[in-house]
Amino acid sequence: MIKLAPSILSADFARLGEDVRAIEAGGADFVHIDVMDGSFVPSISFGVPVVKCLRPVTPLFFDVHLMVNEPIRHVEAFAKAGADLIDFQIEGATDVAATLEKIRSLGVKTGLAVKPGTPVEAVSSYIDMLDMILVMTVEPGKGGQAYIPECTEKIRIARQMIDASGRDILLEVDGGVKIDNVDIPLAAGADVIVAGSAVFGGDVVGKTRAFAEHFRAK
Ligand code: DX5
Ligand code: ZN
């Protein structure tokens, strides 16, 4: 089953609860929550209080993507706020294993994200500790960028790594995915698709439903 994880980075923050209810109504599986610290990436998005306020709004699975330096400092607060899974950029963590261990100790699922320039093989030594691998298909930092075609090969490699591990690990693809190019990451083996600018703005229910129906037809 392919899952849709709309990124609320492109939502209308003045009516965030309504936007999240709209993706739920349209058939989204996860809420993808992009946290940026103004240091690992230039922008600042939002933090723990937003996750906490959204938690009572929806039963959807909260997929918190930390684009921050030293994520280990923040995982406990996001876990308490209601994260179901925390994925963090491998490039921002000094001690990746300790960060994963800490997430697991909080009863939250783990994910490791790689920027376009980072080989996906970088996650291989942690595969036994992972519930998700996140292949970034744009440079982290903002929504609305174009999918980088060179990253498709990394999705294929990640799929092979997961299959070879025999473990139940989700393969998420994030950045520049629209309804008219989503078959590229899917054919490469993705099973969770993040879509921000393709879902939010205008008819959020309808745009979410279009992805959900496309996935169901697969
Ligand atoms: C980029 C974020 C993505 C982004 C996706 O730093 O991690 O989740 O918001 O947005 P679109 O789908 O517009 O590329
Ligand atoms: Zn993201």
Side-chain angles (χ1 to χ4, degrees):
M1 259 281 279
I2 303 155
K3 292 180 164 57
L4 179 66
S7 162
I8 58 166
L9 188 61
S10 293
D12 179 348
F13 293 159
R15 46 190 300 283
L16 191 51
E18 290 150 66
D19 265 1
V20 167
R21 280 189 207 97
I23 61 169
E24 187 185 331
D29 301 283
F30 293 179
V31 183
H32 185 81
I33 299 174
D34 283 311
V35 176
M36 303 176 181
D37 66 351
S39 176
F40 180 78
V41 291
S43 307
I44 297 173
S45 57
F46 46 73
V48 169
V50 171
V51 179
K52 200 172 169 185
C53 287
L54 282 180
R55 190 61 287 183
V57 170
T58 177
L60 289 180
F61 187 92
F62 278 11
D63 163 29
V64 176
H65 178 194
L66 298 181
M67 288 161 277
V68 306
N69 280 320
E70 302 305 350
I72 197 165
R73 298 175 296 155
H74 303 290
V75 294
E76 186 165 1
F78 281 103
K80 284 192 177 141
D84 293 298
L85 181 148
I86 297 176
D87 30 40
F88 62 91
Q89 293 292 143
I90 193 169
E91 305 87 355
T94 304
D95 192 336
V96 173
T99 310
L100 292 169
E101 211 37 82
K102 181 147 189 185
I103 296 169
R104 274 157 44 123
S105 76
L106 294 161
V108 173
K109 291 189 184 297
T110 58
L112 257 184
V114 286
K115 295 208 275 190
T118 303
V120 71
E121 291 84 348
V123 309
S124 63
S125 36
Y126 308 104
I127 202 139
D128 289 341
M129 305 171 81
L130 293 181
D131 299 300
M132 179 187 274
I133 296 173
L134 196 179
V135 175
M136 292 296 303
T137 46
V138 297
E139 285 300 333
K142 54 181 188 226
Q145 304 178 78
Y147 181 92
I148 299 171
E150 290 75 18
C151 295
T152 304
E153 185 55 25
K154 291 172 61 179
I155 305 169
R156 283 193 204 101
I157 295 168
R159 169 49 55 206
Q160 287 165 7
M161 285 167 51
I162 291 169
D163 290 349
S165 78
R167 297 193 66 247
D168 192 11
I169 299 173
L170 293 168
L171 176 49
E172 183 171 59
V173 170
D174 182 7
V177 181
K178 318 276 177 204
I179 198 87
D180 55 9
N181 67 357
V182 68
D183 286 345
I184 297 170
L186 291 179
D191 46 25
V192 184
I193 297 291
V194 177
S197 49
V199 163
F200 290 101
D203 179 11
V204 179
V205 177
K207 289 194 267 183
T208 305
R209 193 169 284 144
F211 274 100
E213 281 172 3
H214 187 76
F215 294 174
R216 226 172 288 134
K218 289 263 154 199

